[in-house]
Amino acid sequence: MPEGHTVHRIARQFEADFVGRRVAVSSPQGRFADGASLLDGLVMIGSRAHGKHLFLAFAPEGAPDGASVEVLGLRAERWLRVHLGLYGAWDFHGQVSPLLPGGGATASLGAPRVRRGVRMGEGERSIDADDAERAIDEPDAFPPDPVGQVRVRLLTDVTAADLRGPTACVVVTREEVRAVVDAAGPDPRSTPGAEGEELFVERLTRRRVAVGQLLMDQAVVSGIGNIYRAEMLFRARLDPYRPGSGVPGEVARELWRDWVALLDDGIRTGVMITREDLDDGGREAALADRSLRHAVYGRAGEPCLRCGTPVALAEMVGRKLYWCPGCQV
């Protein structure tokens, strides 16, 4: 399942290539036809992420639909809410701005810099023009014909975004956006600073539930998935079975601050590199080799990089849990 950094990068891709443009919205698959008709022809005025939720804001002629209430920093009445779930992904085609290490998009200097396509879901990769999955007669034609079960297509004059396999894809009002955000745990990017930290610490330490379970609870903290959960607990030397109420407040604060740093790094690079022992050369190698990125995740039975104890594997609430029983106590 895509983790929080990926959803923030998707939001930034829309910010770079769709915001400020009139968007043709359709549902090639047909399952989102009614929702598409509510958004078709409107201007995308903003793109936001909160945890694993993506919110795209629309208004006629770029105006805020007469809305007077701001949500996620925007005044809009019609929003598209998307949750990718386990299998969802966005495919971007046409003029797709490369995202800079800082998370923004490159400015066009002369001819626009164009990637033929990029898929953003669990992981991020380029889509080659001769990709068999794109099976179109003219690889350079724009827009390409939709391939497979495309729930929704968002189309400007130069860029197309196709959504497949989401858990949620629904048109919502600003009040419904606010309700989703209020029910979710804090996200460092949309609940920054002391407010987010205090809310996280309070929700984590008041419950007698295993901290390994709480970090995956999107009502406690938004955006953390299986990889970040395992790696954050390892970095904090915390037993994943310790109850949240048994985590000292300062340790909980350090967990939040570590999540802030890891999320920022993931948004910047597009990958999850969570090992603390890597120098610049090691990070460069980890960018190219996924097996070098993590200390415990995916390393069951291998020696802990810190103490040599074999990394353990168990199941917690239906998800694989990796940890070191030797130094996570």
Side-chain angles (χ1 to χ4, degrees):
M1 179 183 291
E3 303 204 27
H5 73 293
T6 295
V7 184
H8 279 283
R9 284 179 64 83
I10 292 170
R12 292 186 175 207
Q13 195 71 65
F14 276 109
E15 193 76 31
D17 294 323
F18 282 80
V19 170
R21 296 177 180 268
R22 187 175 303 281
V23 182
V25 185
S26 61
S27 179
Q29 178 194 60
R31 289 181 57 186
F32 186 65
D34 290 343
S37 68
L38 296 175
L39 303 176
D40 186 37
L42 300 182
V43 174
M44 189 181 295
I45 64 170
S47 174
R48 299 288 189 269
H50 187 94
K52 299 182 181 183
H53 296 276
L54 173 70
F55 298 98
L56 303 176
F58 293 84
E61 303 297 335
D65 267 2
S68 59
V69 177
E70 187 176 273
V71 58
L72 292 178
L74 295 169
R75 298 179 186 275
E77 175 56 34
R78 291 187 187 180
W79 299 71
L80 175 63
R81 179 177 73 86
V82 173
H83 191 298
L84 293 178
L86 285 172
Y87 306 110
W90 285 98
D91 287 351
F92 292 86
H93 303 283
Q95 183 174 315
V96 185
S97 301
L99 295 181
L100 290 172
T106 59
S108 295
L109 300 175
R113 296 184 61 187
V114 174
R115 293 183 286 181
R116 288 191 184 278
V118 60
R119 173 163 297 166
M120 304 178 81
E122 187 173 16
E124 186 173 329
R125 69 176 180 85
S126 295
I127 302 172
D128 296 329
D130 58 354
D131 192 321
E133 191 173 351
R134 290 188 63 201
I136 55 175
D137 294 332
E138 300 178 50
D140 294 322
F142 180 83
D145 292 335
V147 176
Q149 296 298 305
V150 176
R151 183 76 55 86
V152 61
R153 163 167 280 194
L154 305 179
L155 178 66
T156 73
D157 53 340
V158 292
T159 309
D162 289 343
L163 174 66
R164 294 182 178 82
T167 294
C169 175
V170 59
V171 176
V172 293
T173 65
R174 62 180 183 269
E175 289 82 8
E176 290 169 315
V177 173
R178 173 54 61 195
V180 170
V181 173
D182 286 348
D187 177 317
R189 285 302 180 98
S190 52
T191 324
E195 178 187 356
E197 182 175 308
E198 293 301 323
L199 187 56
F200 169 76
V201 171
E202 191 273 331
R203 291 188 180 183
L204 183 85
T205 59
R206 74 183 179 188
R207 295 178 60 185
R208 296 188 57 80
V209 175
V211 65
Q213 181 176 337
L214 291 173
L215 287 184
M216 293 277 282
D217 185 341
Q218 300 301 300
V220 173
V221 57
S222 288
I224 295 175
N226 219 19
I227 297 176
Y228 280 131
R229 181 262 301 269
E231 295 295 303
M232 287 173 60
L233 290 173
F234 177 79
R235 289 157 67 103
R237 296 176 178 260
L238 269 177
D239 182 344
Y241 291 95
R242 181 186 296 192
S245 57
V247 176
E250 189 51 42
V251 175
R253 293 183 189 283
E254 288 303 319
L255 273 175
W256 171 260
R257 293 164 191 169
D258 196 33
W259 173 223
V260 172
L262 287 172
L263 179 61
D264 285 349
D265 189 64
I267 293 171
R268 182 169 59 252
T269 64
V271 298
M272 290 179 277
I273 299 179
T274 53
R275 284 176 57 182
E276 296 180 285
D277 60 332
L278 297 177
D279 57 16
D280 290 344
R283 278 187 61 89
E284 197 68 30
L287 284 170
D289 185 348
R290 162 186 315 272
S291 70
L292 302 176
R293 296 175 185 173
H294 311 307
V296 289
Y297 182 83
R299 299 188 61 248
E302 298 180 34
C304 170
L305 300 177
R306 191 160 56 200
C307 74
T309 304
V311 172
L313 172 63
E315 186 174 291
M316 179 177 281
V317 195
R319 301 296 300 276
K320 290 182 178 180
L321 170 69
Y322 298 86
W323 84 102
C324 174
C327 58
Q328 287 179 249
V329 294

